[in-house]
Amino acid sequence: MAKPMEQITWQELETGAVVVEVGNSVQYETGSWRSERPVVDKEKCIKCMFCWLYCPEGCIRQAEEGHFEADLTYCKGCGICAEECPVKCITMVIEEK
Amino acid sequence: MAKTSISSPKHVEREEFFAPGHRACQGCAEVLAVRLVLKALGKDTIVAMATGCMEIISSPLPITSWRVPWIHNAFENAAAVISGCESGMKALMRKGKIPAKKINFVGMGGDGATADIGMGPLSGALERGHDMIYVCYDNEAYMNTGIQRSSCTPYGASTTTSPAGKKSIGQHTQKKNMVEIAAAHGIPYVATACPSFPFDLMEKVKKASETAGPAYIHILSVCPTGWRINPSEAIKYGRLAVNSCVFPLYEVDHGKYRLTYKPSDKKLIPVSEYLKGQGRFRHLTDSDIETIQAATMKAYERLLRLSEQE
Ligand SMILES: Cc1ncc(C[n+]2csc(CCOP(=O)(O)OP(=O)(O)O)c2C)c(N)n1
Ligand code: SF4
Ligand code: SF4
Ligand code: SF4
Ligand SMILES: [Mg+2]
């Protein structure tokens, strides 16, 4: 990735406020917003992908073991995946510092 | 739908055209709608977007969540800008300056941008017959600036500029029917959708993309912040809106009405099931809810009749 956002000065911006690097919001880690974390019961996951489909962050992916889980770098902890999982294998767990 | 090609998440495009790191509130179904619309459209897409939540959360300079060409324009002119893009690109293709190929030209705006301030430019673009799609993300208020009422705010909803109180029910006007206004332009394709019914939504977007000429898609986009519900329930409330017939899923394909989803007797619920639990409707009395129930069924029965016509 190019420079982190906070190091870019206004002189370096493209004319017309053009952003040339597509999708560079990946550098903004929204996982820090989270107060609850989705935890998947790997055994119970039927790999239906509904959590992936409904996640507003698009941050759920298939783990190597085959089940689906959130990328905690971006997961905001909204709880939609836990609510929508047809087999209820996701539990929201409070984040503790 | 009659010919459904998407009936499982496994049929859905894996590639993400909207990057994470966006700043939508937790549980925002409006940004989910954007994500699903882009999946249905694919990479050969150009978007012009009006100011509003989806623009603000996706493009704080110098970063962007967009992975397709995207331009932010003023609050009122997404439809004007995208129709200009379409005409300009078509001219360049005709002159052989760029390779000819199929591109989706898509204007996007919130309900405020669409039904209020951008209505004139939208009407003009639809009437001129551009080969474009306009998508309205209807979260039923001006959410980005702090939950002010728009003409798409439903009767009885409390917002910061239509507050409920001793002398007010909240919003006292009826929701403007943008879908019928778009259809009245006689354009080839008009549809409603909701991300709680993701396959129906993506089918309609694909159909809009395949249709020559203007298409209009109106997406009910649940906003946990403005509706005052728990973020985890955003998908559920979209489902309740559809199953209570408050927001019917239908299309007007070359003038032909069709309900693409009819709640079965088992699924059909009274509007109270949808209204209760939403902070914006908390103040409604039983008699208010009866009024809303009657108006809802009247509108739904009209659609049923229209969709049965040959
Ligand atoms: C001409 C003009 N008037 C007012 C504004 C302030 N403004 C920015 S976004 C917005 C509300 C957008 O509401 P809507 O289109 O429904 O989108 P939402 O934020 O709800 O997704 C307003 C009033 C503006 N940017 N330009
Ligand atoms: S909690 Fe919300 S943001 Fe996190 S993975 Fe689940 S749906 Fe996505
Ligand atoms: S919704 Fe539940 S069962 Fe389906 S893939 Fe996700 S975690 Fe697994
Ligand atoms: S205010 Fe509503 S529409 Fe806007 S980002 Fe938040 S949840 Fe989404
Ligand atoms: Mg709005």
Side-chain angles (χ1 to χ4, degrees):
Chain A
M1 183 169 340
K3 255 186 183 177
M5 158 181 112
E6 55 283 358
Q7 288 172 24
I8 301 174
T9 62
W10 67 268
Q11 291 96 333
E12 293 168 75
L13 295 178
E14 301 278 333
T15 308
V18 175
V19 179
V20 289
E21 195 187 7
V22 297
N24 61 356
S25 67
V26 292
Q27 67 179 273
Y28 188 73
E29 301 185 352
T30 50
S32 63
W33 296 17
R34 197 173 55 242
S35 58
E36 285 184 336
R37 172 171 36 106
V39 177
V40 184
D41 181 339
K42 297 177 197 177
E43 307 300 311
K44 269 169 88 187
C45 172
I46 57 167
K47 307 170 184 70
C48 68
M49 295 175 72
F50 274 104
C51 53
W52 168 79
L53 187 63
Y54 285 124
C55 173
E57 313 308 313
C59 74
I60 294 183
R61 49 199 64 161
Q62 192 162 23
E64 273 177 24
E65 299 110 287
H67 66 283
F68 282 77
E69 63 183 16
D71 178 347
L72 296 177
T73 316
Y74 302 108
C75 167
K76 293 173 186 165
C78 69
I80 284 180
C81 51
E83 175 90 16
E84 295 304 323
C85 172
V87 296
K88 298 282 168 224
C89 72
I90 307 175
T91 320
M92 298 305 291
V93 177
I94 298 203
E95 293 279 7
E96 280 168 295
K97 272 269 139 66
Chain B
M1 307 195 68
K3 207 179 90 230
T4 305
S5 58
I6 311 174
S7 56
S8 146
K10 301 196 165 64
H11 302 150
V12 174
E13 169 68 61
R14 291 287 186 110
E15 195 170 341
E16 301 290 345
F17 301 100
F18 195 82
H22 64 74
R23 298 167 195 217
C25 311
Q26 291 157 313
C28 175
E30 184 155 280
V31 78
L32 173 62
V34 172
R35 178 179 166 238
L36 297 178
V37 165
L38 291 176
K39 280 180 178 292
L41 291 169
K43 69 172 175 31
D44 291 334
T45 297
I46 297 177
V47 179
M49 181 175 259
T51 287
C53 275
M54 292 304 102
E55 167 263 322
I56 295 287
I57 61 98
S58 67
S59 66
L61 192 70
I63 67 176
T64 178
S65 294
W66 296 86
R67 288 176 174 148
V68 296
W70 174 89
I71 182 169
H72 166 219
N73 42 253
F75 200 11
E76 56 275 41
N77 60 2
V81 169
I82 203 65
S83 59
C85 290
E86 183 254 5
S87 301
M89 294 284 278
K90 238 170 45 187
L92 291 172
M93 286 181 202
R94 195 169 55 236
K95 292 179 178 167
K97 302 219 162 149
I98 55 170
K101 72 164 165 180
K102 159 84 183 151
I103 296 173
N104 297 306
F105 295 95
V106 188
M108 295 183 177
D111 49 298
T114 306
D116 293 342
I117 192 164
M119 172 75 108
L122 173 60
S123 176
L126 298 182
E127 172 268 320
R128 289 190 301 274
H130 296 275
D131 190 12
M132 59 175 268
I133 306 170
Y134 188 92
V135 184
C136 172
Y137 298 102
D138 182 6
N139 54 14
E140 305 196 313
Y142 293 75
M143 294 305 178
N144 175 57
T145 37
I147 326 176
Q148 293 94 12
R149 61 82 74 185
S150 79
S151 59
C152 283
T153 303
Y155 174 77
S158 185
T159 70
T160 54
T161 50
S162 65
K166 277 206 190 83
K167 292 191 174 158
S168 167
I169 188 172
Q171 177 91 339
H172 56 82
T173 50
Q174 298 297 329
K175 184 180 174 80
K176 185 187 279 186
N177 197 333
M178 251 331 282
V179 187
E180 295 296 324
I181 293 171
H185 287 76
I187 58 173
Y189 191 70
V190 176
T192 65
C194 176
S196 305
F197 293 77
F199 308 138
D200 177 80
L201 182 151
M202 285 184 276
E203 288 283 338
K204 285 168 174 166
V205 173
K206 279 186 188 291
K207 206 161 174 180
S209 160
E210 284 155 16
T211 303
Y216 176 85
I217 300 190
H218 195 95
I219 302 184
L220 184 73
S221 307
V222 177
C223 164
T225 306
W227 295 19
R228 308 203 189 285
I229 58 167
N230 193 312
S232 65
E233 297 181 325
I235 309 301
K236 180 179 115 182
Y237 272 95
R239 224 174 262 137
L240 294 174
V242 172
N243 282 325
S244 62
C245 303
V246 166
F247 191 83
L249 296 178
Y250 69 105
E251 63 180 12
V252 190
D253 187 353
H254 294 85
K256 173 94 185 75
Y257 279 74
R258 190 167 71 89
L259 282 156
T260 57
Y261 171 85
K262 286 181 217 166
S264 62
D265 292 346
K266 229 176 91 197
K267 289 264 167 79
L268 185 72
I269 49 166
V271 295
S272 55
E273 297 267 316
Y274 166 64
L275 302 172
K276 77 172 183 217
Q278 293 189 55
R280 63 178 179 154
F281 293 122
R282 189 172 35 210
H283 56 282
L284 295 182
T285 63
D286 288 348
S287 104
D288 297 335
I289 292 174
E290 266 169 46
T291 308
I292 296 172
Q293 179 70 58
T296 300
M297 289 326 284
K298 193 170 163 214
Y300 184 66
E301 278 152 20
R302 172 181 169 271
L303 285 175
L304 266 177
R305 275 197 309 279
L306 285 169
S307 62
E308 277 154 16
Q309 269 165 24
E310 269 317 303

